[in-house]
Amino acid sequence: AAPARGAPALTVRGGATKTKTKSSASKAKKMDPTGTPVVAKLLRPATALQAKYESIAAEDPMRGLLIQVGGTMVTMKLISRVLKKSGDKQAALVGRMMYVAYLALHQLILNYVESRIEILDDESPLTIPGNPMLAQLAKQQSQGGGEVAQALVEKLASKETTVKAYDLDMVLKGRRSQVGSLCVTAYLHLKKGMVQPLVANVVMGLVALLRDPLVRVHVLGEDVERPFAPPQPAWLKAMQAQQAEAAAKAAEEGAADAEEESEEEGDDDEDSDDAEEEDIDEEDDDDDDEED
């Protein structure tokens, strides 16, 4: 039989030929860029460095804070030194080119993520927690207000949506935040003549892209729980976790102390009851002796 067109043929014993075909999984992996090992391998050094920093911050939040502050200061100093060595015009030109390239890259990534969301078309239901302050206020105002007020409270407390709609909403928020950052950076550069914000935004923006949940899900192929947690430094997250653990431990110790105190009070009450019974018995005995 003739080998398949385009597939390499291998000569085996007896002169027969064997067609070498690739598995469908490997083809899909090569054709589908989502979660492709290609992107993950290219970014592996950066993601490994970030994972190492997060593990350090989880063990020692203060050390993580010092690393972040020190890294930021060193980065800004290097940026200032490089810009100072270049002329003002050259530094401004390079900074503008880097910033424009970063903006274009960011928008391309958002467009790619948006296309992946449309292709996946995940209509799985998703419950998003609402604003707790508004829900509490509505609950206070709706006491005795009937079913309509209760429905309003439930609507403010949570929101029903789908994974697709949620991810598209996050893409829209990413574009809006980029517009706000662009306005601030343009004001500092054009009005104040500062070049450092251009380069600093590029560096910090690239780091933020690696931690962006949409990028992690639709580009790196990671599994991130929805709704996405608000972005915060690793050291702050670890510190909050330690504080919550300490508060829970203190609450458990307080509950145990309260139980011990209640048990001691119960024992004291039993002792006092026994003492009262003994006093009553002694009084009865004295009355009997007097009668005799």
Side-chain angles (χ1 to χ4, degrees), residues 64-223:
L65 173 60
L66 292 176
I67 292 175
Q68 181 177 350
V69 173
T72 304
M73 293 179 64
V74 171
T75 303
M76 295 302 296
K77 191 171 183 179
L78 289 175
I79 291 173
S80 300
R81 182 175 295 180
V82 171
L83 294 176
K84 189 175 181 180
K85 287 184 178 180
S86 306
D88 293 339
K89 293 184 178 180
Q90 185 178 0
L93 179 61
V94 172
R96 290 172 185 174
M97 292 176 62
M98 291 177 60
Y99 189 63
V100 171
Y102 161 70
L103 291 178
L105 175 64
H106 193 195
Q107 292 304 315
L108 286 175
I109 291 176
L110 289 179
N111 290 338
Y112 172 76
V113 169
E114 189 174 13
S115 66
R116 289 303 307 170
I117 295 171
E118 294 291 348
I119 293 173
L120 294 175
D121 195 20
D122 191 352
E123 296 291 343
S124 303
L126 180 66
T127 302
I128 303 176
N131 192 321
M133 297 181 64
L134 290 178
Q136 185 66 23
L137 180 61
K139 186 176 181 180
Q140 294 176 357
Q141 298 294 331
S142 64
Q143 292 179 352
E147 297 181 357
V148 177
Q150 186 65 27
L152 177 61
V153 172
E154 293 178 357
K155 187 175 181 180
L156 290 174
S158 62
K159 177 184 177 182
E160 297 295 333
T161 184
T162 61
V163 172
K164 177 181 178 181
Y166 176 76
D167 286 359
L168 290 175
D169 185 58
M170 295 302 294
V171 171
L172 182 60
K173 288 182 179 179
R175 287 198 173 101
R176 289 176 179 173
S177 65
Q178 190 66 26
V179 171
S181 175
L182 173 61
C183 294
V184 175
T185 306
Y187 172 78
L188 293 175
H189 175 61
L190 299 176
K191 203 73 175 177
K192 301 293 184 180
M194 300 173 65
V195 183
Q196 290 87 348
L198 296 175
V199 185
N201 268 283
V202 173
V203 176
M204 292 187 293
L206 293 175
V207 174
L209 278 177
L210 291 176
R211 297 184 298 178
D212 193 312
L214 289 174
V215 175
R216 293 171 59 190
V217 172
H218 297 286
V219 178
L220 300 180
E222 297 181 10
D223 186 13

